[in-house]
Amino acid sequence: MAQHSPWRFSRNLSPALPIVTAGLRPDLFSQIGTRSLSRLLLAAMLSMFVLAGLGFRTAGLSKEALSEDELNKLNAVTEYRAKGLTAANSEHPLLMKAALTVSVIACERWNSLVGSNAALNIPVETALRIPGTILGALSAVLIFLIAMELFGLEVGLISAALWSFDPLTISFNRIAKEDTFVVFFFLLMNVFWLRGQRVAESQPHRNPDRFYWAAAASFGAMMASKYVPQLLAIPVAYYYAFQGMKPTRWRLGKKKWLKFFLVVGVAFLFCNPTIVLPDTWRTIAKFAGSKMMGHDSYEFMGLLYPHRAFDWLRGEPWYFYFVLLGVKLPLAALIAFAGGVVLLFRKATGDGRYFLLFWLFVWGLTFIFTGGKFTRYATSLMPAVIIRAAIAIQFAGRQFGKMIRGISDQAAIPVYAGAALLSLVIISTMWSTASA
């Protein structure tokens, strides 16, 4: 299944070609020339994406007052500082609140250093939201690594750019809620998981186990950010999709799976020690039983709907998130996403498409049919949306270049034409954010 890479890193950065691949080099883009990209240039591009994305995420971060959920986080931080670890806000795990505590303390110390200089003081709203903006910006690198592993370097870079500048993603990263932490650690898990696959398939002299354990620790940290264990079904389903292939060397076996879940448990307990408190379990039981203050209704398109999770289809409509993407994604990105969905059903896109298809299926099964929906729940869907859009953007750029090649004798012009189309989509996304 392995094809030749459309891109290669210079200075020994060329990724190995597996015997049974996850679709690392899709047939769809195999007929293009080979280019090299230096380590320095790649680092510079990713750094630019991260810094620009961080700038968009932190600009005017304190303009909006704290929401009810954010105020609950601040109250929990205050209680931790006064009494140590307690069951405050314990319907949610500890990891994010620990990061908020560090951020609040650091910002208070900074404010004490700058004294009465109001221009340099950091408001508490900003202090609470900074951790999410940092992880949101850094997630561009993780999306790049995953998309590159599945579909090649170009798709990886386009995905990183779209994530950095997408207005919907930025808005989710600017609030002090757990969803951004979930996405960061879920992406980190899959970076290690997919790297483990590549090592197992293509480098038999190396032991891939360390990547499996790193993936397990990342998943434990994700669970210590928000209780969404169902997301594990995405990489596991992807893994088992390859087990029917006899040539594959990507096999864990029962003992490694047991060790995997042991590492998950240790990491989860380390990052969420308040889970051992009896009051934490009482709070979780009350929350799960809808005995705490909840959201009994939600306005959507001018109508009020029941808003409890177990209202199922009697709650907010199943198409809630489809409407969200339709009205909030920049037009060019939305068109690209639609095209990417079509390309995922083409075999030529490569076997990496199965990872995105499992992602869409598991996420949809989890969030589409429940009665209680929030727009921020789409945060964990956005990486898959953006990678799909990047696939279509790269494909369109290549096709546009081929069309120009038919009417121009200059070899460089089709390359520039394709790059111009890619840039147009990314710039339009950035413009949508800047004007939001």
Side-chain angles (χ1 to χ4, degrees):
M1 294 185 189
Q3 294 89 29
H4 295 292
S5 170
W7 289 77
R8 71 166 183 266
F9 292 113
S10 63
R11 299 175 65 179
N12 301 320
L13 283 182
S14 178
L17 297 179
I19 303 303
V20 176
T21 169
L24 299 180
R25 306 296 167 247
D27 291 334
L28 195 60
F29 312 120
S30 61
Q31 303 301 320
I32 59 179
T34 300
R35 300 177 177 85
S36 64
L37 187 64
S38 71
R39 185 191 300 265
L40 182 61
L41 178 58
L42 177 63
M45 293 177 70
L46 291 176
S47 298
M48 179 189 70
F49 292 151
V50 169
L51 292 175
L54 183 63
F56 279 120
R57 284 162 172 80
T58 55
L61 202 55
S62 62
K63 285 185 177 179
E64 291 82 20
L66 296 178
S67 66
E68 176 190 346
D69 287 338
E70 289 176 313
L71 184 59
N72 290 337
K73 297 291 186 292
L74 180 60
N75 291 336
V77 167
T78 303
E79 185 167 327
Y80 295 154
R81 297 177 67 182
K83 302 178 181 179
L85 293 182
T86 69
N89 194 234
S90 56
E91 65 270 24
H92 302 293
L94 177 68
L95 182 56
M96 178 190 177
K97 290 174 286 185
L100 300 189
T101 302
V102 172
S103 178
V104 169
I105 293 174
C107 290
E108 285 182 358
R109 292 185 178 179
W110 167 261
N111 291 342
S112 66
L113 287 176
V114 299
S116 58
N117 191 333
L120 296 178
N121 269 259
I122 301 176
V124 68
E125 293 87 352
T126 299
L128 275 181
R129 293 164 179 163
I130 282 177
T133 63
I134 294 174
L135 292 189
L138 290 175
S139 294
V141 177
L142 303 181
I143 289 176
F144 162 76
L145 293 172
I146 290 174
M148 183 188 71
E149 198 73 41
L150 295 173
F151 302 106
L153 183 62
E154 277 191 12
V155 174
L157 287 173
I158 296 169
S159 300
L162 290 177
W163 175 269
S164 297
F165 304 129
D166 176 66
L168 184 59
T169 301
I170 290 172
S171 68
F172 294 146
N173 296 158
R174 285 170 57 89
I175 57 177
K177 286 295 293 178
E178 296 83 3
D179 305 274
T180 296
F181 281 69
V182 167
V183 168
F184 178 85
F185 288 110
F186 180 70
L187 293 174
L188 185 62
M189 174 199 177
N190 287 294
V191 167
F192 292 126
W193 191 245
L194 296 174
R195 182 59 59 89
Q197 181 198 23
R198 195 213 299 182
V199 170
E201 295 289 4
S202 63
Q203 303 173 37
H205 60 284
R206 295 181 62 190
N207 188 343
D209 288 1
R210 59 176 178 154
F211 296 107
Y212 304 149
W213 314 147
S218 301
F219 185 75
M222 191 208 79
M223 284 291 294
S225 302
K226 188 174 183 178
Y227 301 125
V228 281
Q230 58 270 34
L231 293 184
L232 182 61
I234 298 169
V236 170
Y238 178 71
Y239 164 81
Y240 276 105
F242 287 87
Q243 298 313 295
M245 302 178 184
K246 292 182 179 179
T248 186
R249 292 194 288 261
W250 189 31
R251 301 187 188 278
L252 271 69
K254 293 181 180 179
K255 290 184 178 179
K256 287 185 179 180
W257 274 117
L258 289 174
K259 188 174 181 180
F260 179 91
F261 286 107
L262 179 62
V263 174
V264 169
V266 171
F268 171 74
L269 188 60
F270 177 80
C271 296
N272 187 34
T274 54
I275 194 66
V276 302
L277 299 176
D279 284 345
T280 296
W281 287 97
R282 295 189 189 100
T283 303
I284 292 175
K286 290 180 181 178
F287 183 80
S290 300
K291 296 178 181 178
M292 300 177 65
M293 181 181 295
H295 308 274
D296 60 355
S297 61
Y298 194 98
E299 182 181 0
F300 175 63
M301 299 182 68
L303 297 174
L304 283 178
Y305 292 90
H307 195 252
R308 292 173 298 183
F310 299 115
D311 286 329
W312 304 112
L313 295 178
R314 292 183 294 105
E316 290 160 86
W318 60 269
Y319 51 84
F320 176 88
Y321 293 108
F322 295 96
V323 174
L324 173 68
L325 296 178
V327 301
K328 293 297 184 180
L329 282 179
L331 181 59
L334 179 62
I335 295 172
F337 167 64
V341 171
V342 174
L343 291 175
L344 285 184
F345 290 94
R346 294 186 60 183
K347 185 177 180 180
T349 306
D351 293 337
R353 65 198 175 107
Y354 293 115
F355 187 84
L356 296 182
L357 289 171
F358 285 131
W359 195 331
L360 177 63
F361 176 77
V362 172
W363 189 94
L365 205 60
T366 300
F367 293 102
I368 287 179
F369 300 107
T370 57
K373 298 178 178 69
F374 287 106
T375 56
R376 58 182 169 82
Y377 290 172
T379 310
S380 53
L381 178 67
M382 291 307 296
V385 169
I386 282 171
I387 294 174
R388 288 186 187 93
I391 292 171
I393 292 169
Q394 189 208 34
F395 176 74
R398 292 297 173 191
Q399 296 303 310
F400 185 59
K402 288 180 181 179
M403 183 182 67
I404 297 297
R405 188 179 297 120
I407 59 176
S408 172
D409 296 330
Q410 298 294 323
I413 291 180
V415 176
Y416 293 140
L421 181 61
L422 305 183
S423 301
L424 181 63
V425 178
I426 294 171
I427 290 173
S428 70
T429 302
M430 187 188 307
W431 179 261
S432 298
T433 297
S435 59

